[in-house]
Amino acid sequence: MTPLHPDGTSNLWVSWLAGMVACAITSEAAWPRHTVDASLQGADGVRLGDANRDGLPDITTAWEESGIIRVYLNPGLSQITQPWPMITVGKVSSPEDAVFVDLDHDGMIDVISSCEGNNSSVYVHWAPAYKEQYENGSHWRTEPFPALHSKSMWMFCTPGDFNQDGRTDLMIGSKGAQGTIGWLEAPDQPRNLESWIWHPIQSAGWIMSIQVADYDKDGDLDAIISDRKGPQSGIYLLKNRINQRPSGNDGWESSLIGASGEEVMFIDARMLEDKEPIIIAAQRPNRVMRLSSTHWLSKFESHPLTLLSGPWGSVKAVAMGDINLDGRVDTAITCENADGNRSGVLWIAGQTGENKLYPLLRDISGEAGVKFDRMELLDLDGDSDLDILTCEERDLLGVIWYENPTL
């Protein structure tokens, strides 16, 4: 991904206007849309990884209504606008999320799926042991984690070595009456799923995002999460204290850092060089929230940007990147409820000004599509600008990407 421009970031963020901002949408032509796969129902999220170790970004997606987990292998630049080669790696009911990880460190990339509904379980889809079998779905094997089986409506998972023992753990969040977020500790033998240990961190209403990095720069992985529903809804920083506290403590220091009591959807949290994290969040129905920290995570300042009613849906996900290559950080937005003539994918160009930012919402998707999900900004076609990879589950557009026309 093209790195964010440090100076552009600073100029953009100081120009946000806290409160109601008048917005308009341009009449520019929608970006060209390319289909990775539209053969199933209910594409629910896209996650990236190099599944076959060829240096190209591949995709995994959970198809909720179809109960299918798929991997899409990047075909290379010459075929990038065509449907991608696919592998059905598992069949599970009500999957909400799928993510790549080499769970047993055998060099073959596995997939973790999180499921809600009557399933309410988390599964590992084990990749075959031999590279020549990887693209054959019949050689994949699906198993549930016993510690989480039928325990909660699991919504999102992010891998990481949280206790610094050299093994890959999983941080997982759920929703509903038993909603929670915690981490699943990997044993010496990761293939022995009975030995994985669940460590709850805190209760939750509806976990939407989990992003991990060493946010406090003390050498271990922390997390920034968004909780969409319930009395504890908001954005939280979870500082990792697993190796700094006596045995028996939960090992995490949780603090609410923004959007208290709000319906926060997907977030994008970034560490820029030696600076503290910058977070942007989609906040239903029509707000984009920026959070910036001061005094090394001791305080966060909130800067909301409210999008007035217009021909677009309710915000679902956001992502930061220099979309028009002008050196400033722009914001891409995906939406739900983009029915009729409403747009479901848009972007706001970063602008500078002494006191105010008057954003111009620029159309990406046109009228096609109703319910879009989380997105990735990356240069898929090799022309040095950022394209948008996402999925849509109501108009059955499936897994798609929009080609940035800047270059």
Side-chain angles (χ1 to χ4, degrees):
M1 178 181 293
T2 303
L4 302 178
H5 192 286
D7 292 337
T9 301
S10 175
N11 291 337
L12 172 61
W13 294 146
V14 298
S15 66
W16 275 54
L17 176 65
M20 197 72 72
V21 178
C23 301
I25 189 167
T26 67
S27 59
E28 297 174 356
W31 292 13
R33 184 181 77 242
H34 305 292
T35 299
V36 174
D37 179 21
S39 63
L40 299 172
Q41 294 184 0
D44 209 353
V46 290
R47 309 288 289 273
L48 295 175
D50 187 0
N52 55 359
R53 309 283 193 175
D54 65 355
L56 299 174
D58 305 308
I59 307 164
T60 186
T61 295
W63 292 81
E64 183 178 5
E65 280 76 19
S66 297
I68 294 293
I69 308 298
R70 277 187 173 166
V71 167
Y72 301 96
L73 299 178
N74 192 313
L77 294 180
S78 64
Q79 300 293 320
I80 199 67
T81 62
Q82 303 301 311
W84 292 21
M86 67 184 73
I87 313 164
T88 296
V89 302
K91 298 179 180 181
V92 290
S93 63
S94 303
E96 274 289 327
D97 175 60
V99 63
F100 287 118
V101 58
D102 182 2
L103 203 63
D104 54 0
H105 297 270
D106 67 348
M108 306 300 288
I109 304 299
D110 313 300
V111 175
I112 303 294
S113 65
S114 303
C115 303
E116 60 162 336
N118 293 328
N119 189 345
S120 295
S121 301
V122 178
Y123 297 85
V124 55
H125 307 280
W126 295 111
Y130 301 101
K131 184 176 181 179
E132 57 269 21
Q133 297 176 342
Y134 194 85
E135 298 182 32
N136 187 337
S138 66
H139 289 283
W140 287 70
R141 184 161 55 92
T142 297
E143 292 183 295
F145 288 96
L148 304 181
H149 189 55
S150 299
K151 295 296 175 56
S152 189
M153 291 190 285
W154 303 104
M155 303 299 290
F156 201 84
C157 172
T158 299
D161 181 5
F162 299 110
N163 57 358
Q164 298 179 297
D165 64 356
R167 297 186 288 271
T168 301
D169 313 302
L170 304 171
M171 183 171 286
I172 311 172
S174 65
K175 72 175 184 179
Q178 288 77 43
T180 184
I181 185 167
W183 66 290
L184 195 59
E185 181 181 359
D188 291 338
Q189 301 295 325
R191 287 264 180 175
N192 181 8
L193 298 188
E194 294 280 354
S195 298
W196 285 70
I197 301 173
W198 174 244
H199 302 277
I201 298 173
Q202 66 186 40
S203 60
W206 185 335
I207 296 298
M208 289 293 293
S209 292
I210 304 170
Q211 294 196 224
V212 302
D214 184 9
Y215 293 113
D216 57 4
K217 301 189 178 180
D218 65 352
D220 53 25
L221 288 177
D222 312 297
I224 293 177
I225 67 171
S226 60
D227 190 350
R228 174 179 176 180
K229 292 285 189 179
Q232 297 182 166
S233 63
I235 302 171
Y236 290 82
L237 170 65
L238 305 180
K239 291 183 180 179
N240 189 338
R241 300 290 185 260
I242 292 173
N243 295 326
Q244 301 175 29
R245 295 186 175 186
S247 177
N249 288 344
D250 62 15
W252 296 86
E253 180 184 314
S254 175
S255 57
L256 177 68
I257 60 175
S260 177
E262 301 292 342
E263 189 172 1
V264 185
M265 307 297 279
F266 287 105
I267 63 173
D268 186 7
R270 302 292 183 91
M271 298 287 288
L272 301 179
E273 297 183 344
D274 293 329
K275 300 179 182 180
E276 298 188 52
I278 289 175
I279 307 161
I280 59 171
Q283 182 180 316
R284 289 190 74 184
N286 61 343
R287 178 172 288 181
V288 176
M289 173 79 71
R290 178 184 66 85
L291 297 174
S292 59
S293 65
T294 58
H295 308 295
W296 290 108
L297 305 180
S298 63
K299 180 181 179 182
F300 278 79
E301 297 178 349
S302 299
H303 307 273
L305 176 69
T306 302
L307 313 178
L308 297 181
S309 297
W312 48 80
S314 57
V315 297
K316 180 68 174 287
V318 288
M320 293 180 272
D322 185 1
I323 292 174
N324 59 355
L325 301 179
D326 66 352
R328 301 188 182 101
V329 178
D330 310 308
T331 302
I333 303 170
T334 62
C335 300
E336 298 179 318
N337 304 310
D339 49 1
N341 63 353
R342 297 177 180 177
S343 177
V345 186
L346 315 102
W347 69 284
I348 300 174
Q351 302 178 37
T352 57
E354 293 182 359
N355 299 309
K356 297 181 179 181
L357 169 66
Y358 295 100
L360 189 65
L361 281 171
R362 301 170 186 269
D363 188 21
I364 291 175
S365 64
E367 298 178 5
V370 174
K371 185 179 180 183
F372 295 85
D373 210 86
R374 76 179 302 274
M375 79 187 94
E376 297 281 355
L377 297 184
L378 73 165
D379 180 14
L380 279 172
D381 54 1
D383 63 357
S384 299
D385 57 22
L386 294 175
D387 308 301
I388 293 181
L389 171 70
T390 187
C391 62
E392 195 280 332
E393 59 177 308
R394 286 292 180 265
D395 262 0
L396 305 183
L397 300 184
V399 181
I400 51 179
W401 65 278
Y402 293 94
E403 182 180 347
N404 189 335
T406 300
L407 290 176

